[in-house]
Amino acid sequence: MKVIVLGSGIIGTASAWFLHKAGHEVTVLERQPGPAQETSFANGCQISVSHAEPWANPSAPMKILKWLGQEDAPLLFRLRPEWLQWKWGLNFLRECTPARTADNIRQIVAICEYSRQTLQAVRAETGISYDHLTRGILHFYTDAKEFEDSLPAAKLMRDLGCPRESIGADEVVRIEPALAKIRDKIVGGDFTETDESGDVYKFTTGLARKAAEGGVDFRFNTTITRLLTEGTGAAAKVTGVEIINPDGRHQVLRADAFVMAMGSFSVPLLKPLGIDLMIYPGKGYSATYKVLDPDAAPSVSLTDDGYKLVVSRLGDRLRVAGTCELNGYTRELNTTRCEAITRRTRELFPDACDYENPVYWTGLRPLTPSNVPYIGKTRFSNLFLNAGHGTLGWTMGCGSGRAIAEIVSGRQPEVDFAFTGMPRHVRNPHPVTTPAQV
Ligand SMILES: Cc1cc2nc3c(=O)[nH]c(=O)nc-3n(C[C@H](O)[C@H](O)[C@H](O)COP(=O)(O)OP(=O)(O)OC[C@H]3O[C@@H](n4cnc5c(N)ncnc54)[C@H](O)[C@@H]3O)c2cc1C
């Protein structure tokens, strides 16, 4: 079958890789000059199955209210006269009930675990090197109440098969000695030794290169402007995609199937087809520093609970990422937020890095209210979705690519997940929800 993948972030590239392996003839369309130049460029780099708790959870509404208007808040709603933002906000509140949070966590853990195993298999098969470390993720707390509140979440993760162990402050520093300077501020932590980290950009570009060598046709500098459709009801299908070529010419490309993997930008492209995806861009920041003293910089990937920042060592660089601003599609850098990241990193690891020359970046997380992505079918028989991976697109990337290739090939992926427009395949006995067709 001839398949066109729309977008070449981690999700589109992994989709193309697995579609090609499944025997399809694959073309990837991407507006940037190469893969992974938007949200998959400079993220937190954690493969964090252990951090599957979505932002939508019972404690979120109060925290968000408290943070409203606070310029350096970890999660900031900038209220706009925009229907999608308000609708998204209401849906977010709906996902904060204990029952929905628990079901979302189960699904996220399932797809993340499937994805980590898939990533490990791809790594072994391709030999792509991407500054990856398999030293686990250490989450540390500086607020006693936050630490206490984290204990049930850690237990839930253990119940779901994820070895997230709650530990004391001395154990935190034993696992990551670079935290010794702030030992007196740490109240506890949890450690998941099966988690990993690695450079998403290096991985995605490496995978795209291997896929291209295998015959996948990547067309960069190509802007997708419209999907063309025909038929109604069960006969509705996509007939082509309208693009602007690198030389400025308009063209329509035809294929048997289309996979939407344009992150936050999937929404405006699908709207004219009557498909309303509940995805809102969540602007996040990262700072990358050159490591000056390798022993003073951490080499275990960290989550700093107090500041909601993640830290990953990427060879001779240190990446620190986090914060979220719901403020439309702007990627403008806010100096206050950038400086807050550097201030905190310098406080944690004073002599480790060159803090005078940080490289700041922003990216738009394609956030669904539940943080459960859309992977699956639409009411157009040959249009498939792989979008809305929110805070965990790198963690879920390889698994989402593998799953969509299964679905496009007419098979049900072997993972307990509510694939869009498909009956849920359940391996564990717990409440089942079937997602609506979109
Ligand atoms: C600050 C920050 C930290 C993060 N940390 C982590 C982490 O530690 N671990 C983790 O698992 N996840 C993390 N994430 C989330 C992760 O980065 C995203 O979920 C993931 O990158 C989304 O991938 P994607 O392929 O869906 O989107 P993208 O990477 O944005 O890919 C979509 C592609 O579609 C292309 N496109 C869009 N519109 C068009 C068009 N009209 N024509 C042609 N092409 C188009 C874009 O150019 C882009 O390349 C983080 C995100 C941020 C912002």
Side-chain angles (χ1 to χ4, degrees):
M1 207 162 41
K2 189 167 171 13
V3 185
I4 292 182
V5 176
L6 311 170
S8 185
I10 176 60
I11 302 299
T13 305
S15 303
W17 172 259
F18 283 99
L19 284 160
H20 176 67
K21 278 178 81 76
H24 302 294
E25 187 188 332
V26 184
T27 300
V28 182
L29 306 178
E30 167 58 53
R31 64 181 168 193
Q32 297 290 348
Q37 299 204 359
E38 296 208 2
T39 316
S40 307
F41 183 68
N43 72 11
C45 290
Q46 290 191 331
I47 298 295
S48 55
V49 183
S50 62
H51 288 93
E53 308 101 296
W55 284 339
N57 62 63
S59 69
M62 283 315 290
K63 282 188 186 160
I64 291 169
L65 270 181
K66 194 179 82 185
W67 287 332
L68 274 182
Q70 187 183 315
E71 209 41 52
D72 58 355
L75 177 56
L76 179 60
F77 258 94
R78 280 192 204 281
L79 295 175
R80 295 157 58 93
E82 183 194 357
W83 174 230
L84 177 62
Q85 193 200 47
W86 285 75
K87 200 165 150 202
W88 189 96
L90 290 173
N91 276 271
F92 179 90
L93 286 177
R94 206 169 63 117
E95 298 296 338
C96 290
T97 64
R100 291 189 85 96
T101 305
D103 189 47
N104 293 335
I105 292 177
R106 285 192 191 97
Q107 290 194 61
I108 295 169
V109 170
I111 193 81
C112 284
E113 183 54 48
Y114 172 80
S115 193
R116 182 175 51 196
Q117 288 171 16
T118 307
L119 169 68
Q120 288 166 348
V122 173
R123 187 165 70 215
E125 180 187 342
T126 60
I128 294 170
S129 74
Y130 55 99
D131 291 328
H132 78 276
L133 289 171
T134 52
R135 304 191 58 180
I137 292 181
L138 175 62
H139 190 145
F140 66 93
Y141 297 80
T142 45
D143 180 291
K145 168 131 179 36
E146 293 285 348
F147 179 50
E148 202 181 306
D149 290 350
S150 76
L151 300 176
K155 179 174 180 316
L156 175 62
M157 290 298 154
R158 288 196 293 279
D159 292 346
L160 293 170
C162 176
R164 179 166 152 184
E165 299 298 335
S166 300
I167 53 178
D170 289 334
E171 185 64 2
V172 168
V173 175
R174 192 193 65 73
I175 293 169
E176 181 44 79
L179 286 170
K181 291 210 165 82
I182 61 147
R183 161 65 189 85
D184 57 332
K185 296 201 173 82
I186 297 174
V187 294
D190 50 61
F191 180 57
T192 315
E193 66 175 347
T194 49
D195 280 337
E196 306 187 352
S197 59
D199 188 332
V200 60
Y201 172 75
K202 282 193 176 177
F203 178 84
T204 310
T205 46
L207 192 64
R209 203 174 308 118
K210 297 264 176 197
E213 283 164 14
V216 174
D217 178 15
F218 282 85
R219 300 200 188 175
F220 297 115
N221 296 304
T222 299
T223 301
I224 301 156
T225 50
R226 195 157 66 108
L227 289 172
L228 308 174
T229 63
E230 69 175 25
T232 54
K237 61 183 254 201
V238 172
T239 54
V241 53
E242 193 181 81
I243 57 164
I244 305 175
N245 273 319
D247 61 8
R249 272 183 313 116
H250 287 252
Q251 192 187 348
V252 172
L253 301 179
R254 311 275 172 193
D256 303 303
F258 299 81
V259 174
M260 170 53 74
M262 284 168 30
S264 300
F265 296 89
S266 307
V267 178
L269 205 80
L270 292 179
K271 200 163 177 49
L273 276 62
I275 298 178
D276 282 319
L277 295 187
M278 196 47 66
I279 297 177
Y280 196 80
K283 182 165 74 161
Y285 285 73
S286 76
T288 307
Y289 310 96
K290 189 171 176 5
V291 172
L292 298 177
D293 179 352
D295 294 330
S299 56
V300 173
S301 189
L302 303 172
T303 298
D304 174 2
D305 192 80
Y307 287 73
K308 307 285 180 243
L309 292 174
V310 303
V311 181
S312 291
R313 177 76 171 267
L314 305 170
D316 61 359
R317 297 167 297 151
L318 193 70
R319 169 75 46 76
V320 184
T323 80
C324 184
E325 214 175 309
L326 292 132
N327 186 26
Y329 288 80
T330 165
R331 265 176 283 181
E332 199 187 337
L333 282 169
N334 172 323
T335 330
T336 308
R337 286 183 166 261
C338 294
E339 286 168 359
I341 295 177
T342 296
R343 208 168 34 248
R344 178 58 173 170
T345 313
R346 196 196 282 265
E347 192 180 311
L348 294 174
F349 314 110
D351 311 312
C353 301
D354 175 4
Y355 295 113
E356 300 310 317
N357 295 291
V359 179
Y360 293 122
W361 169 87
T362 63
L364 301 175
R365 298 178 186 90
L367 291 174
T368 62
S370 59
N371 214 31
V372 175
Y374 293 97
I375 309 172
K377 300 181 179 179
T378 67
R379 63 191 172 77
F380 294 86
S381 58
N382 61 347
L383 175 63
F384 299 87
L385 301 176
N386 209 356
H389 294 72
T391 62
L392 288 170
W394 171 213
T395 308
M396 296 176 183
C398 283
S400 301
R402 179 176 161 200
I404 203 68
E406 290 284 293
I407 294 167
V408 172
S409 307
R411 296 185 289 270
Q412 173 87 32
E414 275 291 306
V415 52
D416 173 9
F417 185 79
F419 290 105
T420 313
M422 295 171 68
R424 185 152 162 196
H425 172 88
V426 183
R427 282 191 301 192
N428 304 316
H430 58 70
V432 176
T433 49
T434 303
Q437 183 86 301
V438 290

